[in-house]
Amino acid sequence: MVRRIDVTGTAGVRLAAWEFADPPKGRGETDRVPGVLLLHGLMGRASHWARTARWLSERHRAVALDQRGHGRSERPADGAFTREAYVADAAAAVERLGLAPAILVGHSMGALTAWQLAAERPDLVRALVICDMRASALGAASQREWEDWFRSWPVPFATLADVRKWFGEDDPWLERPSPSRGEFFVEVMAERADGWRPVFSRRQMLRSRATWVHDAHWDSLAQVTCPTLVVRGLDGELGRAEAQEMVRVLSRGQYAEVADAGHLVHYDQPEAWRAVVEPFLDGVLTA
């Protein structure tokens, strides 16, 4: 079962939310199934959470959101791609879908959106999972590197096999082959008249990234009061020292790491990802 639910975000932007499995049935009218909102990272889409959403749906109502500019959600040519817009969209989704107080599970940029929402609207958030997102500023050099990387993409790709090979093997950013990375990018391509191209605008992705890459986000992290799990891939972008400092800054933080995983933790090691997240969520439900 896959079900799309349309949500109106801030400034009227049309957002697509997705359920990939039926939630469990409550035992009575007052026994409401706990809600989970899954937020992908930059360039991602809701379908990247399909496997996670399916096991979450054994005990929760799990909904994944295509954030503005991503997936099937609207890509307003002159729309806002600010932190405030992304956070307001997530709040609108939680309220429109009746998930509050929700557990937010975010990867990379989606994790930043999740903790900023938790800081601003604690009434909407029951618990938080932060997957491989740094609280420190990355700086202007990082943004220039991304601009160069986007220019290096050999688009259009002739076939999906070419997409899979370039992102999983040939991309100069790769230190070693990563089949899961290739699969990740296959999911964000669409066939056009001249070949396969990303479903998002790379220009808009740079606009989105520019709103958070230059700043540190420790202050908003320190305002989060709900139980929070910080997860890092052992070979990901979030280092152990920074992750542990994030846990220290959080009032109710916990730490977990996943071996043999890079930035795409839930794609690289889906079973290990579940093994660290599920006990945390069980603790939230029984607290």
Side-chain angles (χ1 to χ4, degrees):
M1 188 284 294
V2 178
R3 183 165 73 103
R4 172 175 171 167
I5 308 167
D6 291 325
V7 175
T8 301
T10 187
V13 172
R14 295 185 302 276
L15 306 172
W18 302 85
E19 289 185 271
F20 295 99
D22 290 323
K25 301 296 184 184
R27 291 185 295 273
E29 291 183 3
T30 60
D31 184 22
R32 193 174 67 86
V33 175
V36 178
L37 184 68
L38 297 132
L39 298 170
H40 60 74
L42 190 74
M43 304 182 295
R45 65 186 307 172
S47 62
H48 285 144
W49 289 117
R51 183 167 181 169
T52 296
R54 287 179 180 127
W55 62 255
L56 280 171
S57 294
E58 296 170 9
R59 300 187 65 185
H60 308 78
R61 183 187 176 202
V63 183
L65 181 68
D66 277 334
Q67 297 177 80
R68 61 176 53 217
H70 297 75
R72 295 288 186 179
S73 288
E74 189 176 2
R75 298 188 305 172
D78 299 316
F81 289 89
T82 62
R83 285 284 80 224
E84 292 78 11
Y86 278 108
V87 172
D89 286 348
V94 169
E95 293 179 315
R96 161 70 177 82
L97 298 167
L99 301 175
I103 297 166
L104 303 183
V105 180
H107 172 248
S108 194
M109 182 192 75
L112 175 59
T113 299
W115 91 56
Q116 289 180 329
L117 177 57
E120 294 177 15
R121 293 289 307 276
D123 57 306
L124 295 183
V125 184
R126 180 178 186 175
L128 183 62
V129 178
I130 296 170
C131 181
D132 218 68
M133 179 61 190
R134 299 182 61 182
S136 298
L138 300 179
S142 172
Q143 189 73 349
R144 289 193 296 271
E145 289 172 359
W146 272 68
E147 292 171 1
D148 292 342
W149 180 55
F150 275 146
R151 283 193 291 266
S152 76
W153 290 18
V155 291
F157 295 91
T159 69
L160 284 179
D162 293 328
V163 174
R164 190 176 287 110
K165 185 175 186 300
W166 197 82
F167 287 102
E169 299 178 26
D170 299 339
D171 184 349
W173 270 26
L174 277 176
E175 294 182 1
R176 57 181 178 274
S178 174
S180 60
R181 189 173 185 266
E183 295 300 329
F184 184 94
F185 279 96
V186 160
E187 290 218 31
V188 294
M189 296 291 160
E191 190 172 19
R192 312 295 186 199
D194 59 349
W196 292 85
R197 293 178 177 272
V199 298
F200 51 78
S201 159
R202 286 171 285 174
R203 176 182 57 82
Q204 289 182 346
M205 295 301 98
L206 286 171
R207 283 175 57 193
S208 296
R209 194 172 188 270
T211 65
W212 53 264
V213 72
H214 301 290
D215 302 314
H217 305 285
W218 293 99
D219 287 348
S220 58
L221 189 70
Q223 294 170 28
V224 174
T225 58
C226 64
T228 302
L229 177 66
V230 178
V231 184
R232 63 178 290 268
L234 208 59
D235 300 314
E237 296 177 8
L238 175 61
R240 180 180 285 120
E242 182 170 353
Q244 292 177 341
E245 179 62 13
M246 290 168 67
V247 172
R248 190 193 67 79
V249 165
L250 288 157
S251 62
R252 301 170 70 184
Q254 300 179 38
Y255 172 76
E257 61 184 29
V258 177
D260 299 318
H263 181 56
L264 304 174
V265 180
H266 54 304
Y267 251 62
D268 290 341
Q269 297 293 337
E271 294 303 325
W273 158 254
R274 178 175 182 174
V276 299
V277 172
E278 197 166 36
F280 169 75
L281 297 183
D282 288 347
V284 170
L285 291 183
T286 57

